[in-house]
Amino acid sequence: MPSKSLKKFEKSLIVDVERIIETHRQINHQGLGRRGLGHITRSGVLMLCAAWEMYVEEILKESVHYFAGKLDHPNELPKAVQKELSRAVKESKHELKPLELAGEGWKSLYHNHASEVLSGLNTPKSGNLDPLFTRFLGINKLSNSWSCQASEINDFVSVRGDIAHTGSEASYVTINNLKTYKTLVEKIVLEIDNYIAEHLRDSTPGQEMPWRRRLNN
C-alpha cells in the first residue's frame, strides 16, 4: 500500500486532469487541429500543477507525522530537522516559545512549523522543494531522487505560471503537451513516494518501511 498522499493524488487530485483530457478527446475526436481548445489544455495544466503541489505538501506533512509518531525525543530527528526546530524557537518573538519543546511539545511545534512554512509554497519547483525537504525531513536534495532533470518539472511549473498570469495569451498547450506533463508528474510523484519511504525507514532504526514501495509502470 502506498502513502496516503499518493492514494489521494491518484484517486482524487489527478482525476480532474484525466477528465479534462477525455473531454478534449470527445470534442476533438476527429483530430482537426487546435479548434480553439486551448482553454481546455490550459485548464489541464493548472489542475495538474495543483495536484503536483498538493502532493508534495501532503507527503511532507505525512512524513512529519510519521517522525513525530515514531520518535520519542527531538534529538532522534535528522540533524537538519533538529536545527530547523531550534532556529524556529530562537527566532520566535514569543518569549515563552522554548517551553513548547518540553515533554511532547516538540511534536506539536514540529507539525505546526511545517504547516506554517508549507502554507507559503506556491511555486513547486525544485529550488523551493529541495530546501523544504531538507529542513523538515533531513533529505539532502530531494530532486536527486528523480529520474528526470529537475529542469523538466521546473519548466512545467513555469508553463503553469505563464497561464496563471497571462491567461489566453500564454503559449498554446497541445493535448500531447498536457499528456507528457501528466506522465512526467505521475512518474516523479511515485519516485518521491518510494524514496521517502526508504528515507523514513532508514531514519527510524528498528522500524519497518512506513508504506510499500511501488514499481514504476
Side-chain angles (χ1 to χ4, degrees):
M1 182 178 296
S3 68
K4 294 178 181 178
S5 304
L6 180 56
K7 287 190 289 185
K8 181 177 180 179
F9 174 83
E10 293 178 332
K11 296 188 179 299
S12 177
L13 302 178
I14 203 69
V15 172
D16 282 342
V17 181
E18 294 170 345
R19 289 172 176 165
I20 286 172
I21 291 173
E22 175 59 20
T23 296
H24 186 282
R25 186 194 67 79
Q26 292 175 357
I27 295 175
N28 197 39
H29 63 279
Q30 293 180 331
L32 301 178
R34 296 182 179 183
R35 297 187 57 189
L37 300 182
H39 62 291
I40 294 179
T41 52
R42 286 192 298 271
S43 296
V45 168
L46 293 176
M47 293 303 299
L48 180 59
C49 195
W52 161 243
E53 182 174 332
M54 181 64 72
Y55 169 77
V56 294
E57 291 179 0
E58 291 289 325
I59 194 63
L60 194 149
K61 289 180 181 178
E62 184 175 347
S63 301
V64 165
H65 181 75
Y66 178 84
F67 269 152
K70 295 296 183 180
L71 302 178
D72 296 322
H73 194 278
N75 64 12
E76 297 174 329
L77 290 164
K79 288 294 183 182
V81 183
Q82 294 182 43
K83 291 179 180 179
E84 176 64 23
L85 297 185
S86 177
R87 184 191 62 77
V89 170
K90 290 178 180 178
E91 294 182 359
S92 174
K93 296 180 181 179
H94 197 303
E95 61 182 9
L96 299 180
K97 192 72 172 178
L99 294 180
E100 294 184 19
L101 291 176
E104 297 273 292
W106 68 271
K107 298 185 179 185
S108 294
L109 175 66
Y110 187 20
H111 282 118
N112 295 338
H113 183 45
S115 295
E116 181 180 356
V117 172
L118 279 172
S119 67
L121 176 66
N122 53 29
T123 308
K125 293 184 177 183
S126 61
N128 291 328
L129 298 180
D130 283 340
L132 284 177
F133 281 80
T134 298
R135 291 165 61 187
F136 291 103
L137 298 184
I139 292 175
N140 183 24
K141 202 168 186 181
L142 177 71
S143 60
N144 281 346
S145 69
W146 306 348
S147 59
C148 74
Q149 295 293 318
S151 59
E152 294 182 55
I153 285 288
N154 295 343
D155 290 346
F156 157 64
V157 177
S158 292
V159 170
R160 186 283 304 265
D162 187 28
I163 293 170
H165 290 99
T166 64
S168 61
E169 295 183 1
S171 299
Y172 189 81
V173 178
T174 68
I175 190 62
N176 285 334
N177 290 150
L178 177 57
K179 290 178 179 178
T180 298
Y181 293 145
K182 177 175 176 288
T183 298
L184 173 67
V185 169
E186 289 175 324
K187 183 178 183 181
I188 300 308
V189 162
L190 181 55
E191 290 175 348
I192 290 174
D193 219 66
N194 289 340
Y195 182 81
I196 290 182
E198 293 186 345
H199 173 75
L200 296 180
R201 178 200 60 194
D202 294 344
S203 301
T204 51
Q207 298 293 332
E208 296 183 355
M209 206 171 289
W211 54 80
R212 291 183 180 179
R213 287 173 48 90
R214 184 196 294 168
L215 296 177
N216 285 297
N217 294 328

